[in-house]
Amino acid sequence: MTAPESSAPKLRGRPRSPATDAAIIEAALRLLEEGASVGGLSIEGIAREAGVGKATVYRRWPGKDALMLDVLRSLEEPSPEPAGVSVRDDLVTVLEFMRRRGLAKRHSALLRSVITQMHAHKELWRAYDENVIAARRATLRAVLRRGRESGEIRADVDLELLADLFTGPMLARAMLHEWKELPDGLAERIVDTVLEGVSPRR
Amino acid sequence: MTAPESSAPKLRGRPRSPATDAAIIEAALRLLEEGASVGGLSIEGIAREAGVGKATVYRRWPGKDALMLDVLRSLEEPSPEPAGVSVRDDLVTVLEFMRRRGLAKRHSALLRSVITQMHAHKELWRAYDENVIAARRATLRAVLRRGRESGEIRADVDLELLADLFTGPMLARAMLHEWKELPDGLAERIVDTVLEGVSPRR
DNA sequence: CCAATACGATACGGTCTCGTATCGTAAGTC
DNA sequence: GACTTACGATACGAGACCGTATCGTATTGG
């Protein structure tokens, strides 16, 4: 789990350095950015990269899995609250948030790693799902539901499918093509095209 | 020069068993299906799983990367030739092909693994791209172009974006949610919804 | 029968990581 | 100053895998 000071820290000796916590997590992220997979990471390697003794890592986390959970949590970002003026703009807000995150190398690297190993480490996947995906999905669902009620979205479309229609293209690009394929304005284009449809209007 | 044996191999001695070739590749696929990552695979482990001596593997491939290339190639499937009657049906054909492939555990496992490690093993990624992705993309592009010419698809939409609008949702589901989320009829629903649009028709 | 090669098994030295333990030193509390 | 804990460094035995080599046996062609 995390390495929190409990509420009543009877601090006797030298306190643990928060900077060391951060340095370890930062080192793990750096290695992931450089192409390492979660499975390929080693405590030794992380400690080396962080310029830290191996025991210092083990003093904080029992093993790689627990450390990875905190690495995930370190990337938590508040999901944007859509303004609620038009469904179209709200959708753009959500997708634009995804786009910016996909542009961050550490995010896409982690996304790929976690996805690959979600079988081997169900716990890790659950954590990623809760920390990163769930909030976005909830926000998106709320927007879509509102759109259906307001008539901006057709009533006969499955909202679950709809969510994938909007997020799928962004996700696929972030995972397959990597940074460069997430240009400015991509969110708007996806939203408008899916809303409008591809067939010529009659 | 070199390679005197490559073109005209004199067949002395016991020939290599093609069944052993297959057993090794099959073992690698089995391990990947069970959740191993490409990086986590080991020649020793593959040989063990295949019931084969380690030297037998090294006799065929110089290392893991070369073996992986053949593992990829073993999954080659002829991309379906769309009938060409209507663009809508052709799109469904392409997406349905993707759906069926996503249902095959070994395909999605390999897809995830390769994506994760595409940085570490660019060569491997290139091979996957050529063997699995390129054909589908070419087919899809041809269909879309034809649709634009025939008027079934609006002329003002970027075909590159359009391709992602159709394939992205299928890919995202295959990678994130795993088998269960690729139900019958998904291809039709994606195609029809994207063609028709989500806004209510005026 | 003989020569040549494949094959499963096993052994080898080497490297890497594991998780634990033990140094001497640094940084806090009492 | 005494005590307690953190820290970087290092050592340790255990285990996995690397790539190569060498067994004895099996399977082919000559």
Side-chain angles (χ1 to χ4, degrees):
Chain A
M1 294 295 166
T2 331
E5 320 76 79
S6 20
S7 46
K10 193 63 173 147
L11 292 176
R12 289 284 313 225
R14 173 177 174 180
R16 289 191 190 163
S17 160
T20 304
D21 288 315
I24 294 170
I25 289 180
E26 200 61 28
L29 284 170
R30 220 176 304 136
L31 291 173
L32 285 172
E33 283 181 43
E34 287 166 11
S37 66
V38 171
L41 284 184
S42 67
I43 299 282
E44 294 214 9
I46 294 171
R48 203 181 310 128
E49 172 78 17
V52 142
K54 207 174 20 160
T56 300
V57 179
Y58 279 109
R59 201 175 289 122
R60 288 164 162 75
W61 295 277
K64 197 170 68 177
D65 291 5
L67 170 57
M68 281 305 150
L69 289 183
D70 278 356
V71 171
L72 280 183
R73 283 193 252 271
S74 78
L75 292 183
E76 257 181 295
E77 272 180 274
S79 179
E81 202 54 41
V85 269
S86 82
V87 168
R88 185 265 182 192
D89 289 350
D90 289 354
L91 289 172
V92 170
T93 300
V94 174
L95 284 210
E96 178 62 15
F97 180 66
M98 287 178 67
R99 187 182 77 90
R100 301 211 76 82
R101 201 152 62 179
L103 283 174
K105 205 174 177 187
R106 53 183 47 185
H107 263 112
S108 54
L110 201 52
L111 171 61
R112 274 190 295 270
S113 269
V114 170
I115 283 180
T116 305
Q117 314 229 330
M118 67 177 162
H119 281 112
H121 304 87
K122 305 232 185 218
E123 181 84 7
L124 191 58
W125 170 253
R126 218 177 41 74
Y128 187 80
D129 189 62
E130 286 177 4
N131 281 297
V132 181
I133 297 184
R136 183 199 68 210
R137 193 163 42 204
T139 304
L140 185 59
R141 255 205 279 257
V143 170
L144 293 175
R145 201 159 28 229
R146 200 158 54 74
R148 186 149 76 176
E149 288 163 5
S150 75
E152 289 176 82
I153 288 180
R154 279 165 39 203
D156 61 333
V157 182
D158 175 25
L159 290 192
E160 211 59 45
L161 173 69
L162 201 40
D164 285 342
L165 287 187
F166 285 113
T167 61
M170 189 69 80
L171 273 176
R173 285 209 179 188
M175 283 191 289
L176 290 177
H177 305 309
E178 197 89 357
W179 339 269
K180 318 190 72 162
E181 303 283 339
L182 298 176
D184 251 32
L186 178 60
E188 285 90 343
R189 290 167 63 207
I190 291 177
V191 169
D192 289 337
T193 310
V194 173
L195 283 177
E196 185 74 5
V198 169
S199 304
R201 296 257 150 171
R202 291 174 288 259
Chain B
M1 300 288 251
T2 51
E5 77 228 310
S6 55
S7 51
K10 301 205 281 193
L11 296 175
R12 296 278 314 234
R14 175 177 173 178
R16 289 189 192 164
S17 161
T20 304
D21 286 355
I24 293 170
I25 290 180
E26 200 61 30
L29 285 170
R30 220 176 303 135
L31 291 173
L32 284 173
E33 282 182 41
E34 288 167 11
S37 66
V38 171
L41 285 184
S42 67
I43 300 281
E44 293 215 10
I46 294 171
R48 203 181 311 129
E49 172 77 18
V52 142
K54 205 171 27 156
T56 301
V57 179
Y58 278 108
R59 201 173 288 120
R60 288 165 162 76
W61 294 278
K64 197 170 69 176
D65 291 5
L67 169 56
M68 280 305 149
L69 289 182
D70 278 355
V71 171
L72 280 183
R73 283 192 254 271
S74 77
L75 292 184
E76 257 181 296
E77 272 180 273
S79 180
E81 201 54 41
V85 271
S86 82
V87 167
R88 185 265 182 192
D89 289 350
D90 288 354
L91 289 172
V92 169
T93 300
V94 173
L95 284 210
E96 177 64 14
F97 180 66
M98 288 178 66
R99 187 183 76 89
R100 302 211 75 85
R101 199 151 64 177
L103 284 173
K105 205 173 175 186
R106 52 183 48 186
H107 263 111
S108 53
L110 201 51
L111 171 60
R112 273 191 295 270
S113 268
V114 170
I115 284 179
T116 305
Q117 314 229 329
M118 66 176 161
H119 281 112
H121 303 87
K122 306 230 185 220
E123 180 85 5
L124 190 58
W125 170 253
R126 218 177 42 73
Y128 187 81
D129 191 61
E130 286 177 3
N131 281 298
V132 179
I133 297 185
R136 183 199 68 208
R137 195 163 41 203
T139 304
L140 186 59
R141 255 205 279 257
V143 171
L144 292 175
R145 203 162 23 233
R146 197 159 53 74
R148 187 148 75 173
E149 287 163 6
S150 76
E152 289 175 84
I153 287 179
R154 280 165 38 202
D156 61 333
V157 183
D158 175 26
L159 290 191
E160 212 59 46
L161 174 68
L162 202 40
D164 285 341
L165 287 187
F166 285 112
T167 60
M170 189 69 81
L171 274 176
R173 284 208 179 190
M175 283 192 287
L176 290 178
H177 305 309
E178 198 89 359
W179 336 269
K180 319 190 71 166
E181 302 283 341
L182 300 176
D184 251 33
L186 178 61
E188 285 91 342
R189 289 167 64 207
I190 291 177
V191 169
D192 289 337
T193 310
V194 173
L195 283 178
E196 185 72 8
V198 169
S199 305
R201 295 259 151 170
R202 290 175 281 264

